[in-house]
Amino acid sequence: MPWPLRPAVEGGFTIAHEEVADAVVERVQRHVLGGMGLVVLHSGHFAKIFTRLLGTTCSLKWRNEGERELVWTVKPSHPIAAGIESPIVIPQQETYGELFDIPEPDDLIFISSFTGGEVFRSGVTFTRGKGRIFYFSPGDQEYPVYHQPQIQKVIANGVGWVAQPGVFREAPEVSNPARGWFEA
């Protein structure tokens, strides 16, 4: 089956990522770099903040046939994978496929496989500045994916991991150090 271009409207919901004000994206980016966590779910891979922080298009192959997705845990030692069965079976879901245009993740925690044979890096982490980012692809407005207890647990674990309790959040400073610190 050929891969269609991503439509301007998904399931009756307008994709409005480009309507987010640049000032908001800059403010969120500053906070992530300073230590705030960010969890990006499903089609949030096209969010302006996500593409800005990752520095790529974050594009992927996509189609919606309502096929089964198996979410395989490939890094069970990661805190986000704690208590997660493998595989998580999602009876109906949109199909995401590679190539997923993201930089090399810090951690690859989950890989999904679909009935049509596609595979997808469905759970990845990144560090930007002092902030942690977790991207998790399962979820959709047409299918009750977020009602599944194991999906809820992955998201809760992800929130706990990006939050970094006890880490003081402050924006990174760029300064011009005083001269004379190096003597020849």
Side-chain angles (χ1 to χ4, degrees):
M1 171 161 288
W3 290 92
L5 294 175
R6 194 163 185 80
V9 175
E10 262 187 294
F13 294 91
T14 302
I15 297 175
H17 297 300
E18 290 302 316
E19 294 177 21
V20 176
D22 288 339
V24 171
V25 173
E26 289 166 15
R27 188 169 62 241
V28 172
Q29 180 181 20
R30 186 174 65 248
H31 284 283
V32 170
L33 295 176
M36 181 179 83
L38 179 66
V39 174
V40 178
L41 300 174
H42 193 54
S43 61
H45 63 88
F46 272 144
K48 282 173 85 172
I49 185 60
F50 193 58
T51 59
R52 167 88 57 92
L53 286 165
L54 270 55
T56 62
T57 67
C58 299
S59 64
L60 49 83
K61 290 184 177 179
W62 170 89
R63 61 188 174 83
N64 189 357
E65 303 295 324
E67 296 177 347
R68 183 191 72 194
E69 176 179 3
L70 299 176
V71 181
W72 300 92
T73 303
V74 295
K75 190 166 188 180
S77 62
H78 197 283
I80 294 174
I84 303 301
E85 61 191 46
S86 185
I88 300 171
V89 178
I90 302 172
Q92 287 188 296
Q93 169 69 313
E94 286 182 313
T95 299
Y96 280 8
E98 296 291 339
L99 176 72
F100 185 19
D101 183 27
I102 57 173
E104 187 72 28
D106 295 340
D107 296 295
L108 173 59
I109 304 167
F110 302 106
I111 294 177
S112 289
S113 62
F114 297 86
T115 305
E118 298 83 1
V119 295
F120 188 72
R121 292 170 287 163
S122 54
V124 295
T125 68
F126 301 93
T127 303
R128 293 295 182 267
K130 291 171 48 181
R132 291 176 172 178
I133 302 167
F134 173 52
Y135 171 76
F136 189 57
S137 66
D140 188 61
Q141 66 276 3
E142 290 184 43
Y143 309 108
V145 177
Y146 293 128
H147 295 275
Q148 291 188 230
Q150 286 290 294
I151 298 297
Q152 293 172 359
K153 184 158 183 58
V154 169
I155 295 169
N157 288 354
V159 168
W161 182 80
V162 302
Q164 302 184 80
V167 172
F168 178 72
R169 184 174 62 186
E170 67 179 341
E173 291 188 30
V174 177
S175 65
N176 186 5
R179 293 183 155 269
W181 60 270
F182 175 82
E183 294 183 14

